[in-house]
Amino acid sequence: MLNKLKDFNVVLASNSPRRKELLADLGINFEVRTIKGIDESYPAQLPVLDIAQYISRKKALVYQRDMSPRDIIITADTVVILGDEVLGKPHSCEEACAMLRQLSGKTHKVVTGVTIVMQGHTSSFSAVTDVEFAPLNDQVINYYVDHYRPLDKAGAYGIQEWIGCVGVRHINGSFYNVMGLPLHRLYTELDRLLDKQLGL
C-alpha cells in the first residue's frame, strides 16, 4: 500500500499529537493541516454511536474545498460514551475528576469516526472499543489529573498514559482506536480506496 501512495499527498487534518504519532507508525509520509473554528455540533436526535463519524464527515467537507487532485485528506473524531451520555473534553480539572469518577468501575465505549477523501472517492467509517475501568479512588484520580492534565482528551483520560496502566482492567477492540485512530481499519480502507482510484 505504501508504494501506491508515492504519487499522492496525504494530509492529516488534525492537530492531535496522538493522531500524528499513530499515522507516522503506519510508515505513511504526510503533512498536517488544521483549520480552526470548524463547527463540530451534531443533531440532538443522532444515535450516540453515529456522532463521531458524523463529525469526521463534517470536518472533511471543510478541508475538501481546498484540496488538490493528488491530495488524500484524513479527518477523525473520537467520542467517549457512557450509557447514552457523550463525555467530551473536560473544561477544568474538577470536571476531569468528575468524569473519571463516572467511568470508575464501569465499561464505556470509545468511538472514533474517520473520513478519507481523495479525488472522486470518499469513505467514512467508525470503530468501537469497549473499555472497562477498575474502581478508581480519589487518590488515583487526583494524582492522574494533577500530573497529566487530561483537558484535551475526550472522557478525561489517555489510555496510553499512567491511568491506562493502573486503571484499565479490560478492553475489547482496538487499543489504537482508544488513542484516537483505528490503525488497522484505516490502513485497509485506505488501501481499498487506492485500488479503486488506481483501477487495480
Side-chain angles (χ1 to χ4, degrees):
M1 195 270 282
L2 296 177
N3 189 52
K4 299 173 194 172
L5 283 172
K6 66 181 185 301
D7 293 326
F8 293 92
N9 178 44
V10 178
V11 176
L12 176 63
S14 172
N15 209 24
S16 164
R18 270 86 52 193
R19 291 197 182 109
K20 293 177 197 173
E21 177 187 335
L22 290 170
L23 191 57
D25 285 345
L26 285 181
I28 294 173
N29 293 319
F30 64 93
E31 65 172 275
V32 173
R33 290 183 201 163
T34 56
I35 298 174
K36 293 182 179 179
I38 295 177
D39 176 21
E40 296 187 14
S41 63
Y42 52 86
Q45 72 277 14
L46 191 69
V48 290
L49 291 177
D50 296 341
I51 290 170
Q53 187 173 326
Y54 179 91
I55 295 174
S56 80
R57 285 199 304 265
K58 205 170 183 182
K59 291 176 180 177
L61 285 172
V62 176
Y63 284 89
Q64 197 171 354
R65 295 171 193 158
D66 297 318
M67 70 182 292
S68 76
R70 305 310 289 174
D71 280 348
I72 297 174
I73 309 286
I74 300 171
T75 60
D77 191 77
T78 301
V79 298
V80 170
I81 301 168
L82 181 63
D84 289 325
E85 182 182 358
V86 175
L87 302 183
K89 297 175 183 177
H91 298 99
S92 65
C93 288
E94 291 75 20
E95 190 177 353
C97 288
M99 284 186 183
L100 289 169
R101 290 189 194 100
Q102 282 182 270
L103 296 173
S104 173
K106 297 174 185 169
T107 298
H108 62 276
K109 295 184 183 298
V110 179
V111 184
T112 298
V114 178
T115 298
I116 305 168
V117 182
M118 61 181 70
Q119 192 77 10
H121 300 287
T122 299
S123 174
S124 290
F125 61 88
S126 59
V128 182
T129 303
D130 292 319
V131 180
E132 179 189 353
F133 265 114
L136 306 173
N137 61 38
D138 281 349
Q139 184 178 5
V140 167
I141 289 171
N142 291 333
Y143 175 85
Y144 174 65
V145 172
D146 287 345
H147 286 79
Y148 290 85
R149 311 284 293 185
L151 303 186
D152 64 334
K153 296 176 178 66
Y157 78 95
I159 195 169
Q160 73 278 12
E161 296 177 339
W162 180 81
I163 195 72
C165 299
V166 304
V168 172
R169 178 181 281 162
H170 179 76
I171 73 167
N172 182 25
S174 167
F175 174 85
Y176 299 111
N177 182 53
V178 185
M179 285 182 67
L181 212 53
L183 291 183
H184 170 72
R185 183 73 188 276
L186 174 60
Y187 187 91
T188 55
E189 194 64 19
L190 188 54
D191 193 34
R192 186 184 71 81
L193 279 182
L194 282 166
D195 283 349
K196 286 179 70 174
Q197 181 78 0
L198 298 170
L200 299 176

